[in-house]
Amino acid sequence: MTAVLQASATPPAYAVVVPTLGRPSLRACLDGVAAATASGRGPVRIVLVHDRPGPDGTPPALDVPPALRPITTVVAGRGRGPAAARNTGMRAAVGVPWIVFLDDDVVPGRSWGEDLAGDLASASRDTAAVTARIDVPLPPGRRPTDWERNTAGLATARWITADMAFRREALDAAGGFDERFGRAFREDAELALRLIEGGWVLAPGSRRTTHPVRPADRWISVRLQAGNADDVLMGRLHGHDWWGRAGAPRGRLPRHAAVTSAAAAAVGCALAGRRRAAAWCAAGWLVGTAEFAAARIAPGPRTRSEIATMTATSTVIPAVAVWHWLRGAVLHRRVRRADPAAPPGTRAAAPEDAPRERVRS
């Protein structure tokens, strides 16, 4: 690895890439970037990747602040999720040494431009990326709901591409994001692990960005269980210890498997006419489900609506989580361990017995 060079006093040029579905929140995000431009610390280019292009493949018009229109390009995504959209935006921002990825539902802080300039100017030569500090405002005067607590977890995530600046050289070395991650889940941690394994550094930054809690229906927690398939892919790419290295919580999958097994056994025993065994298995399922619901209700506002939502979703989440895990195990059964994203001119050490796989897009 090359030696750390002294930080340059002049911040390098950067482009902002925003994958978007055309949500109204995009305007607030771009207004924050426009404020940075007004201070003289703005991007040289903005690429908006519209992941819901029209029937003819042309991206719809987006609400862009007048100050940003001369440097903004809107390109059509491929409808394959944020990882693929970021890769599309990165390729469109040709020749810019740093790429700052923003989600379309975040709001950069007032001093975002100045702070980002400082973050990039102080980055050493072996720094692949500089993170931001994410603030998730929660409603005052009451406890947060399950969904609000889930979003609040972004504030402590180790690597989050809601606002993350990447050196283009590092992105090129990694081949971009792994597009097999089709949701906004784990694709940032996966890229970070490949960069770190290759010898790069991911540094904390000083800029602050707000990530509001967006509205969601009561079944959002059930749909989020699709991420269990992505966890299987992470294990294939980075080994079973990836949880600790990524600082990711392990979740309740083992408990979900036990609860789901109890339910399946209860049905099987009932069909076989073994009523006593079916009753015991059904009791196990009921106890497991009640414990799960109680664990989700206790830290929340405990309103009638929240209790009803937690009770209903807790009955189906274990089975849905196990289903997605099994789906991922089948879908990714032939995936091999990923190659480290080593800087040009270097070769990262890798276990001799670990077959490696490059990112496919």
Side-chain angles (χ1 to χ4, degrees), residues 86-296:
R86 292 188 191 108
N87 287 342
T88 297
M90 174 189 73
R91 296 179 188 118
V94 179
V96 185
W98 283 86
I99 307 294
V100 181
F101 294 107
L102 294 176
D103 285 352
D104 69 353
D105 56 352
V106 303
V107 182
R110 292 183 179 180
S111 61
W112 185 84
E114 294 288 341
D115 294 339
L116 174 60
D119 290 344
L120 300 186
S122 61
S124 62
R125 185 64 186 85
D126 57 357
T127 298
V130 184
T131 64
R133 300 180 183 181
I134 304 297
D135 297 322
V136 180
L138 296 176
R142 66 165 174 81
R143 296 179 177 183
T145 64
D146 180 73
W147 169 237
E148 290 165 346
R149 294 194 305 274
N150 181 283
T151 305
L154 299 176
T156 56
R158 183 173 296 180
W159 307 297
I160 175 173
T161 41
D163 181 350
M164 196 162 181
F166 283 89
R167 190 186 296 274
R168 174 179 287 279
E169 188 179 19
L171 287 172
D172 290 341
F177 291 86
D178 191 325
E179 297 183 6
R180 286 171 293 192
F181 292 87
R183 289 168 291 277
F185 188 68
R186 302 300 191 210
E187 83 290 353
D188 43 14
E190 193 284 322
L191 175 58
L193 287 179
R194 279 191 288 124
L195 290 169
I196 291 172
E197 289 170 2
W200 292 95
V201 173
L202 276 69
S206 62
R207 65 194 185 280
R208 306 195 76 94
T209 297
T210 299
H211 192 304
V213 180
R214 67 175 184 267
D217 63 79
R218 65 172 50 194
W219 298 105
I220 181 66
S221 58
V222 177
R223 294 195 298 274
L224 290 178
Q225 301 311 308
N228 284 282
D230 298 314
D231 285 347
V232 174
L233 178 55
M234 284 291 289
R236 295 283 192 264
L237 293 171
H238 296 285
H240 295 297
D241 62 342
W242 73 267
W243 302 91
R245 288 184 285 127
R250 287 300 301 263
R252 298 176 61 108
L253 185 62
R255 297 187 188 185
H256 290 336
V259 170
T260 303
S261 297
V267 173
C269 290
L271 293 175
R274 302 172 60 184
R275 295 183 179 180
R276 182 181 295 273
W280 278 107
C281 291
W285 170 82
L286 182 60
V287 169
T289 301
E291 183 276 330
F292 180 39
R296 300 173 70 206

